[in-house]
Amino acid sequence: MYLNLVGINHHITPVNIRERAAVRRSRVQDALEALKKTAAHCVILSTCNRTEIYTVENHNQEKERAGLFFLKKYLHVPESILSEYAYFCSGAAAAEHLFGVAGGLDSMIVGECEVLGQVKRALASAEEAGTANLPLRRLFQASIRTGRRIRKETEISRNHLSVSSIAVELAVQSLGDLARCRILIIGAGEAGKGAVLAAREKNAGDILVASRTLERASALARVLRGTAIKFDDIPAILGSCDLVVACADAGGTIINSHQVAQALQKRNGSPQVIIDIAVPRNVDPDAGLIDNVSLYNIDDLNLISEKNHQLRKRELIKARRIIREERERFLSWWRSFSVSPVIFALMEKANRIRDAYFDKTLKKLPTLSDEERHSLEKMTEVIVTRLLQDTVDMLKENSNRDGQYSRLVSQLFRLDCEVSQ
Ligand SMILES: NC(=O)c1ccc[n+]([C@@H]2O[C@H](COP(=O)([O-])OP(=O)(O)OC[C@H]3O[C@@H](n4cnc5c(N)ncnc54)[C@H](OP(=O)(O)O)[C@@H]3O)[C@@H](O)[C@H]2O)c1
């Protein structure tokens, strides 16, 4: 059995490419349905920083990995992009990578907490689609435990930074005091809520919230003392806003450059800052070419997040130790799991033979009392277990040898079972 990972992430892949491989929350079930045609056991983890496909496969498909096939055929990511940006790993390396992701070590904002929720959601979606088998379930549960431990046992998540809060930090750097600014937040999901909260913490004065569903915008606005506006009113209201934070999971552009140009005409030369943290992006990149418009995307937050990264360096050492511990714990489980079909088949065959000869013997001894019969049965059970104990122990002890011992035992005892690697 092989654990494989195929992914692309923010470390080397810019947002204009990453957004092509993004699987939006509303599309995850369809995507899993498509992926399971080539990999029955799979999980898709898609966040603003990464799209990763985890699969557990029976054969080592080095050449045509199911995750890669999915990115090519379902998401239509061109081969040229994949060969330049995609990464692959398997087994222990894939588990260690996921543990780092869940711990926030791989995020643009090191230590951010949102990714832990995204990892949980990825597993829940796979459970719903019926694509999470036992190893994947254990892997993701172990990663969630790792993520929690890292946040509890280290200071990596101190200050509760998030992409949304860093976006607001960038806005403060550009605009100064937010108290006199009108701010429009587009999107009332997790990212939108984070942006409104961060803006409130910076004493922002006038906050408008727009979401596709007005009730959702109203609910967020109510809690955080903002004003909900209709999605369709965004173009009309745009000119009055000093700052726009766009974070709707719309799958593409909500504001085009023409709308921004028109909005700017109403601002009498006053600058406007637009921070688009959505992936795929919500604002046409050409809007950044318009005079007095400062348009930032999620990758532009890198500079601020780099400072955060330096501050948290010491905590990274502690976090990596936790990841190593959890990786060993998971691998030890994986090894005994991988030999369990052989152990099961061995015990099953031995007990089948025992049962048959036991019944045969009983027929020749009709006068046995219940007690004598029970003692005889116990004795045969102990003989079988004791005789096979060394073989079972040897299988467990050598379970990390690519199925070598499993194959040997399976051949020696002529077992009818699939041997995992
Ligand atoms: N969560 C994070 O920490 C985070 C961080 C950085 C960037 N982002 C990016 O921010 C975006 C939103 O993420 P999220 O986690 O906040 O998602 P979310 O909690 O699922 O919220 C989704 C938001 O997008 C809106 N939406 C969904 N489908 C839409 C469509 N077809 N057209 C217009 N609006 C639509 C929803 O509107 P209604 O529900 O009102 O219909 C809601 O306001 C994504 O692009 C994500 O990559 C998220």
Side-chain angles (χ1 to χ4, degrees), residues 25 48 114 188-191 211-213 216 247 249 277 279:
R25 203 181 286 191
C48 55
E114 283 72 15
E190 241 170 81
S211 193
R212 184 181 54 173
T213 316
R216 199 165 180 193
C247 47
D249 192 14
I277 57 172
V279 182

Side-chain angles (χ1 to χ4, degrees), residues 56-161:
V56 166
E57 297 166 66
N58 284 333
H59 305 287
N60 195 8
Q61 298 165 331
E62 279 289 337
K63 290 206 175 64
E64 193 49 280
R65 291 167 198 260
L68 197 58
F69 185 78
F70 168 80
L71 288 171
K72 266 193 285 195
K73 298 290 178 203
Y74 181 78
L75 294 177
H76 308 294
V77 184
E79 183 93 51
S80 55
I81 286 183
L82 291 173
S83 58
E84 194 171 348
Y85 296 107
Y87 47 84
F88 314 93
C89 53
S90 9
E96 185 165 346
H97 175 84
L98 177 62
F99 294 177
V101 168
L105 271 69
D106 197 56
S107 298
M108 179 187 281
I109 316 297
V110 174
E112 52 99 359
C113 294
E114 283 72 15
V115 70
L116 194 51
Q118 289 159 336
V119 169
K120 282 185 208 163
R121 259 200 313 275
L123 174 60
S125 299
E127 295 281 14
E128 193 183 329
T131 60
N133 63 349
L134 185 57
L136 279 171
R137 194 173 300 126
R138 288 293 289 238
L139 173 74
F140 272 74
Q141 284 166 348
S143 77
I144 293 162
R145 185 175 57 240
T146 309
R148 284 195 187 124
R149 277 192 64 192
I150 287 175
R151 287 175 181 84
K152 199 166 159 219
E153 295 173 33
T154 76
E155 296 270 298
I156 206 160
S157 298
R158 193 180 41 198
N159 301 337
H160 303 287
L161 293 180

Side-chain angles (χ1 to χ4, degrees), residues 176-184 196 198-208 224-227 242-243:
D177 189 3
L178 294 188
R180 280 165 302 164
C181 295
R182 170 171 259 203
I183 300 169
L184 169 63
V196 179
R200 274 276 165 257
E201 273 171 21
K202 297 286 178 194
N203 294 321
D206 187 8
I207 301 181
L208 308 177
L224 291 162
R225 289 173 289 118
T227 309
D242 307 294
L243 167 66

Side-chain angles (χ1 to χ4, degrees), residues 163-182:
V163 173
S164 304
S165 69
I166 294 285
V168 171
E169 191 64 50
L170 175 64
V172 172
Q173 285 183 12
S174 302
L175 293 163
D177 189 3
L178 294 188
R180 280 165 302 164
C181 295
R182 170 171 259 203

Side-chain angles (χ1 to χ4, degrees), residues 357-368:
Y357 280 93
F358 184 64
D359 289 348
K360 223 168 160 182
T361 309
L362 279 189
K363 280 186 188 134
K364 292 182 193 158
L365 301 167
T367 55
L368 281 185

